[in-house]
Amino acid sequence: MKQGIIAIAFLLLGACDALPRDPANTSDRIARSHSFTVALTDSSVRAAPEVDRLIREIERRTKARAQWRIGSGELVLQQLDDGTLDLAIGRFTAESPWATDVAFAPALSTTGSKDSPIELKAAMRNGENRWIMTVERASRAITQEAREQ
């Protein structure tokens, strides 16, 4: 009986490595190809130093290189939703119509008024939870680093 419980515990422990999951295998694909695709919703975002820091941190964590794509606005977010793009970075309001279609990482910076803030942040395809967690952790790490400086 005791050996059976130990065997089940090891099986369950081994299964934990697969969580969180990416139904479309984004993280596995990035690990195999050593690259991920990224685009900006607005080209002016490229000047924000947080963008470079975020990309470098994701590259470090994934051991993959960012492959930049050209695009803007709705097209970029549609590509993200379709799964043909891994990461979109832009400035978004709380009322963004994409808030239910994509997963947003924590804000890298905030501008605008207190009543209507505009947040610079990354967006990922909904449901790709392992990839989302990677980007969220990278976002938090660089914002924490900025606060400590």
Side-chain angles (χ1 to χ4, degrees):
M1 174 78 170
K2 193 175 187 180
Q3 289 177 338
I5 292 172
I6 291 171
I8 290 172
F10 276 114
L11 286 172
L12 290 174
L13 194 60
C16 289
D17 185 46
L19 296 174
R21 290 197 172 103
D22 286 352
N25 298 312
T26 300
S27 295
D28 290 339
R29 180 181 42 74
I30 289 168
R32 281 191 316 274
S33 68
H34 302 286
S35 69
F36 60 95
T37 55
V38 60
L40 305 172
T41 61
D42 177 357
S43 61
S44 69
V45 171
R46 188 72 172 106
E50 298 90 348
V51 171
D52 283 333
R53 288 199 305 269
L54 177 63
I55 295 302
R56 282 195 312 269
E57 182 64 18
I58 294 170
E59 287 176 332
R60 186 188 71 75
R61 289 170 181 261
T62 61
K63 298 176 181 57
R65 285 281 179 225
Q67 301 298 313
W68 290 91
R69 295 246 180 107
I70 297 172
S72 64
E74 298 288 317
L75 176 62
V76 168
L77 293 168
Q78 187 60 54
Q79 290 173 343
L80 189 68
D81 192 41
D82 294 342
T84 58
L85 184 69
D86 298 315
L87 189 68
I89 303 173
R91 291 187 173 93
F92 302 95
T93 63
E95 295 83 29
S96 171
W98 287 93
T100 57
D101 296 325
V102 300
F104 287 116
L108 303 171
S109 66
T110 304
T111 57
S113 69
K114 189 173 183 176
D115 295 336
S116 185
I118 300 170
E119 297 179 325
L120 174 63
K121 55 188 170 183
M124 296 78 56
R125 186 178 187 192
N126 260 342
E128 295 302 285
N129 297 324
R130 185 175 282 189
W131 174 238
I132 291 167
M133 185 181 294
T134 299
V135 176
E136 285 180 351
R137 286 178 175 165
S139 296
R140 285 189 186 97
I142 70 158
T143 55
Q144 181 65 32
E145 178 184 295
R147 276 188 228 127
E148 292 172 357
Q149 291 179 349

